Amino acid sequence: MKILKVQTLRGPNYWSIRRQNLIVMRLDLEELADRPTNTIPGFYEGLTEILPSLVEHFCSPGCRGGFLSRIREGTMMGHVIEHVALELQELAGMSAGFGRTRETATPGVYQVVFEYLDEQAGRYAGRAAVRLCQSIIDTGHYPQEELEQDLKDLKMLWAEASLGPSTEVLVKEAEARGIPWFQLSARAMIQLGYGVHQKRLQATLSNNTSILAVELACDKEGTKKILRDAGVPVPRGTVIGYLDELAEAIATVGGFPIVIKPLDGNHGRGITIDINSWEAAEEAYDAAREVSRQIIVERYYWGRDHRILVVNGKVVAVAERVPAHVRGDGNSTIEELIKQTNQDPRRGEGHDNVLTKIEVDRTSWQLLEKQGYTLDTVLPAGEICYLRATANLSTGGTAVDRTDDIHPENIWLAQRVAKIIGLDIAGIDVVTQDISRPLQEVDGVIVEVNAAPGFRMHVSPSEGIPRNVAEPVLDMLFPPGTPSRVPIIAITGTNGKTTTTRLIAHLFKQTGQVVGYTTTDGTYIGDYLVEPGDNTGPQSAQLILQDPTVEVAVLESARGGILRSGLAFSTCDVGVVLNVAADHLGIGDINTIDQMAQVKSVVAETVMPNGYAVLNADDPLVAEMAERVKGQVAYFSMNPDNPLIRYHTQQGGLAAVYENGYLSILKGDWTLRIDQAVNVPLTLAGRAPFMIANALAASLAAFVQGVRIEDIRAALATFSASTQQTPGRMNLVNLGTFHALVDYAHNPHSYEALAGFVKNWPGERVGVVGAPGDRRDEDFVTLGRLSAQMFDRIIVKEDDDNRGKPRGDVARRICEGIAQVKPDARFEVILDETEAIQAALNSASLNGLVVVLPESVKRAISLIQARLPRSQEEEAVQPVSPPNGSHFMTNSHEHPEPASKEAAEYVSTEVV
């Protein structure tokens, strides 16, 4: 077996909309391609010996028995790899249950798909599953020690990837509220929400947390001074920097017993309490000095340790923290009791578990000695031995919920303290004999105020009621009625995506909002290019959604990104699907147009219930997607008599249609006309039907999001197929004696759409044609056939990057198609794109049209613009009259007068 490729999906995808975290492994079974499992000697026995828990696995509902019965009966090895990868994750503590296995068009090559919780662990599990099964095939078994190492590695990856307990609680609360979140790339920060509505967290520090408050809370002595000045009960204490200051400090606080702790410590490190002798004080000083250069010496106050959590000025939880300890059973030594306690599944290393394992250190030995014990002491039944002086959970302590016990005066005091320090989220440490009585009555004190307090003692107390402390944090960050998302308009399809994306962005700009959008040309925010390139995948989309200035996100979502990583967002407000045509077939194991439609439908299926899928009613593959849409559906069509449009609008549905020369919105029995196509520069006076369709889709997407018709009309009037607004999309340039047109058509569907415009040109039509090298041979032949039907003269070129094809192979196939349609066609091959464009421009005839279908849009536009007369400004348009009398748009300095309604109807009828 050989792993050919491993992909990680992180959003809605071709395989599943709901299960977004998937590994897709392309696996060549090689000699196993024709060997089901029941023909491999000893495979069943070897697999069940090393993974007996597979007995709990089941396959599809229609399958007889469980997964192991399929192995007995005979199944392909790809199916086994899927289940083993899932089971390895399960055994490592990652519950993942979704999987799919499909044979590709390449015999013996399978796509193995399985769910993951952590992507590094998921990829590891896939490789380990192949290794395990190959070992059983070759030797009849898989060594137990290797399985144990696999599980150890998987657990380590899972532990490294896991969010901290406090962060995880906050993220789960956000998910429950439908608030999206990201892990940012620096400082373990989490972003909640999108764009301008986002908030950030770092553990339990929030957007609202004041840096001044954090620094004050970290300054324990400064905190104590501020609180003392405010009349808050705090311990008597002082700060020293040297050992020779210790004796005076002890006298200052009133003598023994005392507490010594580091000024800059946390998690209980370096703290020693209840010190009653000079020798113990010196040792405690040394321990604190290992943590901090400055040392706090305080009066020791007897009582129990409590943590009061204050969020947004309100007490939300109280926990009594009990130091690490063991309780005797009359038979076991203290060492044995520690081992038994650490076997509690809730305990683990560090802070990621509900409880932390107890470890014996210097403080433990001191406490054992003070209590008259050793590790070999057998404790009487019920007797408690304390192993830590402080009650931190990070040192093995436990927590008891006391939220319902705290006295109202102590609530008032804690809330006041949080405001005095200035923290939005504060953990206030209190030592008191009885939290149900006012501190003043029982000589209780507030010993510390903590920024970024841990939540696990409140969420998962050892005893008492768990408290949802994440709820008030989310209420603070996103008060009821406050949005967490910006509108997302996602656009996909085979052709027209970039133009439609740019037009939708232009439409929303009319509302005064900051629009972030991604296209094949680059990523933009407002009027500025953020990042050039073909940015239609999830990484570019995340850039937009993470930007704090963006108010509307318009995201071109291409096939490649969906297959490679899935979408960057779980849901969208509007999903636009323009069309589905035969392009990119044979790439990424998408071999049929129906499979391609399933890829494109991912955008439509992520539309929220209150959102809209904007679908092309003229494309059956797109129209069928409505059956899988969970939101509302709106259609667009070039044909107002389309039966689907008629039925949909009669049922009260929305549609955008091209009727009587107008772009119009329909619903029920009313028609809202936006404008005549001849007044919309993008449509080239209504002579570019595919541009009319793009304008309909864009207008409808904006309309369902509440953009006013007046703003839609204004946007359509100010958006043209120019090199500034839509580079490489029907850019028509007047070069004086002839015109040049640049368009990024590169598949049969786009060639056919372009032909609807080019065939009506009155002069000679010259085409500079080519295609990306990763298409099928039959696709190149088809492009040649279409070129022969469209152009009077053809120059065939190739891309600089032929994507693995031998030089000249693409051109040869295109020429083959030309010859099939027009054996006497006038064509030549000039492989270099620059030379081909220059040759076409040099040989253009009077009133002719040179159509360039480039690899590099920027290069093609530059070559054409270099020939512009200095006095001419590109992109102004005026009508001219070709021989057939229909109106045609060309470049000039003046804006045209609108053509008549009758002329518009004539043009649309002729072109369509």
Side-chain angles (χ1 to χ4, degrees):
M1 286 184 290
K2 182 188 297 182
I3 299 174
L4 303 178
K5 187 177 183 180
V6 179
Q7 292 175 268
T8 306
L9 305 182
R10 306 177 184 89
N13 56 76
Y14 175 74
W15 298 94
S16 176
I17 301 301
R18 186 166 62 89
R19 296 174 179 88
Q20 300 174 8
N21 296 332
L22 300 177
I23 299 295
V24 180
M25 189 163 61
R26 201 165 193 266
L27 184 66
D28 187 352
L29 296 184
E30 297 180 316
E31 73 280 358
L32 295 169
D34 299 320
R35 294 183 65 189
T37 51
N38 61 341
T39 67
I40 302 173
F43 183 78
Y44 176 89
E45 292 76 14
L47 185 62
T48 53
E49 177 187 1
I50 194 67
L51 292 176
S53 51
L54 284 173
V55 70
E56 298 176 5
H57 280 228
F58 290 87
C59 302
S60 60
C63 126
R64 292 178 296 164
F67 169 64
L68 292 182
S69 68
R70 291 288 300 276
I71 295 179
R72 280 188 182 279
E73 296 167 2
T75 188
M76 299 312 296
M77 193 56 60
H79 184 207
V80 179
I81 299 296
E82 168 203 327
H83 281 266
V84 172
L86 290 170
E87 183 59 19
L88 289 174
Q89 294 181 84
E90 184 77 35
L91 293 173
M94 294 169 280
S95 183
F98 177 82
R100 291 285 185 271
T101 301
R102 296 285 184 272
E103 187 172 11
T104 69
T106 305
V109 175
Y110 284 75
Q111 284 182 302
V112 179
V113 181
F114 55 90
E115 194 173 10
Y116 69 85
L117 267 66
D118 170 61
E119 61 182 68
Q120 295 301 323
R123 295 169 78 95
Y124 183 106
R127 295 191 298 270
V130 172
R131 189 169 62 246
L132 183 150
C133 290
Q134 189 68 63
S135 176
I136 296 173
I137 293 166
D138 295 340
T139 68
H141 74 284
Y142 188 65
Q144 182 66 36
E145 59 271 19
E146 292 206 24
L147 175 64
E148 290 174 358
Q149 185 62 51
D150 287 336
L151 297 180
K152 181 179 178 181
D153 291 344
L154 285 168
K155 289 175 182 178
M156 181 189 69
L157 289 170
W158 178 229
E160 290 175 351
S162 297
L163 300 172
S166 300
T167 304
E168 185 174 358
V169 167
L170 291 165
V171 163
K172 286 183 176 178
E173 178 67 20
E175 290 176 342
R177 298 178 179 218
I179 298 173
W181 65 278
F182 297 106
Q183 281 186 273
L184 299 180
S185 57
R187 302 188 64 82
M189 287 193 296
I190 299 291
Q191 175 182 319
L192 302 178
Y194 290 148
V196 72
H197 301 304
Q198 68 178 265
K199 303 293 182 183
R200 289 180 182 173
L201 292 170
Q202 185 186 61
T204 58
L205 295 175
S206 82
N207 268 65
N208 298 350
T209 305
S210 162
I211 183 64
L212 293 177
V214 172
E215 290 187 348
L216 178 56
C218 291
D219 178 359
K220 293 180 173 59
E221 189 61 20
T223 296
K224 197 161 58 176
K225 288 178 181 178
I226 290 286
L227 295 180
R228 183 185 296 115
D229 292 344
V232 175
V234 294
R236 283 179 291 163
T238 187
V239 177
I240 63 174
Y242 301 96
L243 181 61
D244 57 13
E245 299 174 311
L246 181 58
E248 183 180 349
I250 294 172
T252 299
V253 301
F256 296 111
I258 62 169
V259 175
I260 293 180
K261 58 185 177 182
L263 179 66
D264 303 321
N266 56 26
H267 297 303
R269 292 179 299 177
I271 297 177
T272 307
I273 69 171
D274 197 13
I275 301 168
N276 289 283
S277 68
W278 174 254
E279 293 76 13
E282 284 186 307
E283 191 172 344
Y285 175 89
D286 291 338
R289 192 60 186 261
E290 292 178 4
V291 179
S292 174
R293 291 181 61 85
Q294 291 190 298
I295 310 301
I296 296 175
V297 180
E298 287 181 346
R299 178 73 179 169
Y300 175 67
Y301 290 81
W302 183 86
R304 289 177 287 177
D305 188 297
H306 296 79
R307 167 63 64 83
I308 303 174
L309 181 64
V310 180
V311 177
N312 199 25
K314 301 293 183 183
V315 169
V316 298
V318 181
E320 178 185 341
R321 299 186 296 178
V322 181
H325 65 279
V326 292
R327 187 181 298 271
D329 60 9
N331 298 310
S332 306
T333 66
I334 291 175
E335 185 173 22
E336 290 170 340
L337 291 170
I338 293 172
K339 290 180 180 179
Q340 293 171 20
T341 301
N342 283 340
Q343 289 174 359
D344 185 337
R346 296 177 298 171
R347 291 188 181 269
E349 307 291 341
H351 312 290
D352 293 336
N353 292 71
V354 175
L355 297 172
T356 302
K357 287 186 176 181
I358 298 172
E359 295 183 1
V360 177
D361 64 3
R362 178 191 66 85
T363 303
S364 306
W365 288 109
Q366 288 178 339
L367 284 172
L368 285 170
E369 183 179 354
K370 185 179 290 187
Q371 296 169 87
Y373 301 140
T374 68
L375 289 178
D376 296 325
T377 300
V378 175
L379 279 183
E383 188 166 322
I384 293 177
C385 171
Y386 287 97
L387 298 161
R388 277 290 191 279
T390 59
N392 298 73
L393 268 64
S394 57
T395 58
T398 57
V400 180
D401 179 65
R402 300 292 188 199
T403 306
D404 295 332
D405 301 332
I406 186 171
H407 191 278
E409 184 174 318
N410 293 340
I411 292 175
W412 167 81
L413 182 61
Q415 292 173 171
R416 179 168 174 255
V417 166
K419 290 183 179 180
I420 290 171
I421 302 303
L423 287 171
D424 60 327
I425 304 173
I428 301 173
D429 291 342
V430 176
V431 172
T432 179
Q433 299 174 42
D434 188 351
I435 195 69
S436 67
R437 296 170 61 189
L439 296 189
Q440 301 282 8
E441 289 185 8
V442 292
D443 197 26
V445 288
I446 291 176
V447 294
E448 281 187 18
V449 179
N450 298 277
F455 282 179
R456 65 173 174 164
M457 70 184 76
H458 307 295
V459 175
S460 303
S462 309
E463 298 178 35
I465 302 171
R467 305 290 174 171
N468 182 5
V469 294
E471 181 179 21
V473 175
L474 271 294
D475 285 341
M476 175 183 70
L477 297 177
F478 299 99
T482 301
S484 61
R485 300 168 176 265
V486 297
I488 295 176
I489 295 85
I491 302 94
T492 195
T494 301
N495 295 305
K497 297 186 296 297
T498 297
T499 298
T500 305
T501 298
R502 285 179 166 272
L503 178 53
I504 291 174
H506 185 67
L507 283 159
F508 276 96
K509 287 179 185 178
Q510 309 306 308
T511 67
Q513 298 178 92
V514 176
V515 182
Y517 57 104
T518 60
T519 71
T520 52
D521 308 315
T523 301
Y524 298 80
I525 296 176
D527 297 325
Y528 300 99
L529 173 66
V530 175
E531 195 172 60
D534 186 352
N535 298 337
T536 58
Q539 186 174 351
S540 302
Q542 284 198 356
L543 185 155
I544 295 298
L545 297 175
Q546 290 176 9
D547 189 277
T549 68
V550 168
E551 296 174 281
V552 179
V554 182
L555 307 174
E556 182 177 343
S557 304
R559 164 209 61 88
I562 296 172
L563 287 174
R564 184 173 60 253
S565 300
L567 295 176
F569 44 88
S570 297
T571 58
C572 62
D573 299 86
V574 181
V576 181
V577 186
L578 297 171
N579 42 61
V580 179
D583 189 26
H584 295 96
L585 296 182
I587 302 174
D589 292 309
I590 302 300
N591 300 300
T592 69
I593 195 166
D594 287 329
Q595 290 176 325
M596 184 62 72
Q598 186 176 339
V599 175
K600 306 292 185 183
S601 74
V602 171
V603 168
E605 292 181 60
T606 58
V607 170
M608 292 189 290
N610 61 343
Y612 274 90
V614 174
L615 306 178
N616 185 349
D618 298 333
D619 186 326
L621 289 172
V622 177
E624 288 173 5
M625 296 178 189
E627 298 176 5
R628 302 192 294 276
V629 172
K630 298 180 179 64
Q632 304 171 81
V633 175
Y635 293 104
F636 66 94
S637 173
M638 293 292 291
N639 177 17
D641 295 322
N642 182 309
L644 179 57
I645 294 290
R646 286 188 174 278
Y647 175 80
H648 182 69
T649 54
Q650 286 170 3
Q651 300 302 310
L654 274 172
V657 299
Y658 181 49
E659 50 88 26
N660 295 318
Y662 282 88
L663 282 72
S664 301
I665 304 287
L666 306 182
K667 184 175 183 181
D669 57 358
W670 57 258
T671 299
L672 184 61
R673 285 181 166 174
I674 302 171
D675 208 341
Q676 287 181 294
V678 294
N679 295 333
V680 178
L682 182 66
T683 72
L684 298 179
R687 295 181 63 86
F690 59 98
M691 286 298 194
I692 297 175
N694 292 340
L696 289 171
S699 299
L700 189 54
F703 184 79
V704 298
Q705 271 298 113
V707 178
R708 300 181 311 156
I709 284 293
E710 293 80 5
D711 290 331
I712 295 174
R713 187 176 296 122
L716 293 178
T718 54
F719 189 85
S720 62
S722 66
T723 56
Q724 286 76 36
Q725 290 183 310
T726 58
R729 275 73 186 174
M730 292 297 288
N731 303 146
L732 184 63
V733 183
N734 185 352
L735 293 174
T737 59
F738 68 97
H739 285 71
L741 176 70
V742 179
D743 191 82
Y744 189 60
H746 57 278
N747 57 58
H749 184 266
S750 57
Y751 270 48
E752 290 169 351
L754 183 64
F757 174 83
V758 173
K759 287 181 180 179
N760 289 305
W761 190 269
E764 183 188 44
R765 305 180 300 274
V766 180
V768 181
V769 304
D774 56 0
R775 304 310 197 263
R776 301 171 303 175
D777 288 347
E778 57 262 41
D779 296 330
F780 302 135
V781 173
T782 300
L783 294 182
R785 295 171 62 88
L786 293 170
S787 297
Q789 297 167 6
M790 195 186 329
F791 300 114
D792 302 311
R793 185 160 53 90
I794 304 167
I795 297 176
V796 182
K797 53 86 180 179
E798 285 190 347
D799 292 353
D800 296 340
D801 178 8
N802 263 13
R803 307 186 187 186
K805 277 284 195 302
R807 195 68 172 163
D809 193 58
V810 172
R812 180 170 58 83
R813 296 290 184 183
I814 292 175
C815 292
E816 180 183 328
I818 294 171
Q820 288 179 6
V821 171
K822 194 183 294 184
D824 58 347
R826 298 163 56 201
F827 69 91
E828 60 180 314
V829 176
I830 303 177
L831 294 181
D832 182 80
E833 184 168 279
T834 298
E835 293 179 13
I837 294 172
Q838 296 284 29
L841 296 174
N842 289 336
S843 62
S845 60
L846 183 65
N847 295 325
L849 175 67
V850 174
V851 179
V852 180
L853 310 180
E855 174 193 26
S856 172
V857 169
K858 184 177 181 180
R859 175 172 57 197
I861 290 173
S862 178
L863 291 171
I864 291 168
Q865 288 183 332
R867 296 177 179 246
L868 278 171
R870 288 187 179 181
S871 60
Q872 182 175 338
E873 295 179 5
E874 188 194 353
E875 315 307 348
V877 292
Q878 70 175 8
V880 296
S881 297
N884 63 9
S886 61
H887 284 266
F888 190 83
M889 304 300 288
T890 185
N891 290 350
S892 182
H893 296 289
E894 299 179 3
H895 195 282
E897 291 294 323
S900 68
K901 176 181 175 181
E902 290 76 15
E905 289 174 345
Y906 174 75
V907 170
S908 67
T909 303
E910 179 188 49
V911 175
V912 175

